[in-house]
């Protein structure tokens, strides 16, 4: 009986030690961010809380701060997470969230919420990410986008097996086809823990679409018992403009009048728009408004 009791005490001590080792404390100065975005003295900072970026769920309850500028949050974390410190504000009938991204991991985290370049330090991932992030921001500010891109790529590959690479990959430019291809290539060189993280899997799917010059990928849809394939129209010797849209997408609905005008003009010819060439290759994508008409006018003179 005595041995069982001793074992139980040791087990409790071990659990207590584990809990202490996994404790975190975040001491945050949010005054710079609040001042930067403050529209009026009537605007109040109501509360702060921590949000898990991956699950989109709060990690802590909202903590009322009554417009204080320095806050402290503590708790325990079972494994490192990408989170945001959310600052909830109210102002005459409307509200908004300001936020600062950081890595939640055991230890004492110090956060200074500078509006243009927040700084977080005190734990391994934050200590690694934020100095490099400041260099990238400085390069962008100086107009040296090539240096910024190189610093981002180098960091992601050097940290290809930890969460900070995910944060860096998300911040890299990917608007053009060339930028998307570079980012996809970097993702493919990262470790499994990064490649298979939900945020990166989502990013990869979004970027891994047909680019200009690629051959179209066929698919089929069924409606009222009839099956229609993209190949029924694309690759048949004519240009085909395809709009992937959704009823819940406001910009998609706003685009309908433009599509009707273009159709009326060229009919004798999610969410994004593709223009396929006569051979089935992508000629252009992400066309909007006047860009649709300009591209078609360029083709059809």
């Amino acid at each position: 009986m005595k041995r069982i009791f001793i074992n139980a005490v040791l087990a409790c001590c071990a659990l207590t030690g584990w809990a202490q080792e996994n404790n975190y404390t975040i001491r945050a100065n949010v005054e710079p961010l609040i001042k930067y975005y403050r529209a009026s003295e009537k605007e109040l900072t109501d509360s702060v809380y921590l949000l898990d970026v991956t699950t989109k769920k709060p990690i802590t309850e909202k903590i009322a701060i009554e417009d204080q500028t320095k806050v402290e949050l503590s708790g325990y974390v079972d494994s490192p997470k990408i989170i945001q410190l959310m600052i909830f504000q109210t102002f005459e009938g409307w509200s908004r969230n300001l936020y600062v991204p950081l890595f939640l991991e055991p230890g004492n985290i110090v956060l200074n919420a500078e509006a243009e370049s927040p700084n977080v330090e005190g734990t391994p991932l934050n200590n690694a990410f934020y100095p490099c992030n400041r260099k990238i921001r400085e390069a962008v500010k100086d107009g040296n986008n090539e240096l910024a891109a190189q610093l981002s790529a180098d960091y992601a590959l050097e940290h290809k097996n930890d969460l900070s690479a995910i944060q860096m990959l998300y911040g890299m430019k990917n608007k053009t086809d060339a930028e998307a291809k570079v980012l996809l290539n970097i993702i493919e060189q990262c470790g499994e823990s990064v490649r298979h993280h939900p945020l990166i899997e989502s990013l990869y799917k979004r970027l891994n679409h047909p680019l200009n010059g690629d051959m179209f990928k066929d698919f089929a849809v069924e409606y009222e018992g009839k099956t229609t394939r993209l190949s029924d129209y694309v690759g048949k010797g004519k240009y085909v403009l395809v709009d992937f849209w959704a009823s819940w997408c406001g910009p998609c609905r706003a685009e309908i009048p433009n599509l009707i005008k273009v159709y009326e003009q060229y009919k004798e010819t999610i969410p994004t728009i593709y223009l396929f060439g006569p051979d089935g290759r992508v000629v252009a994508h992400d066309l909007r408004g006047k860009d649709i008409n300009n591209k078609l006018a360029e083709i059809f003179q």
Side-chain angles (χ1 to χ4, degrees), residues 88-91 93-97:
F88 183 71
Q89 295 186 304
T90 58
F91 176 66
W94 59 270
S95 62
R96 70 179 174 193
N97 273 312

Side-chain angles (χ1 to χ4, degrees), residues 172-180 206-207 209 211 285-286:
M172 293 179 66
K173 290 185 177 181
N174 58 59
K175 296 298 183 183
T176 68
D177 289 354
E179 290 169 347
R206 180 164 59 83
L207 295 176
H209 56 67
L211 303 175
H285 63 86
D286 291 333

Side-chain angles (χ1 to χ4, degrees), residues 243-256 270-272 288:
D243 181 11
F244 295 88
W245 69 288
S247 58
W248 46 260
C249 171
C252 297
R253 296 196 300 273
E255 204 61 49
I256 290 175
I270 304 185
T272 190
R288 295 291 174 197

Side-chain angles (χ1 to χ4, degrees), residues 132 136 147-157 168-169 171-172 186:
C132 182
I136 292 169
L147 175 59
Q150 190 61 55
L151 288 170
S152 299
D154 290 346
Y155 183 94
L157 292 174
M168 187 62 71
L169 290 168
M172 293 179 66
I186 294 172

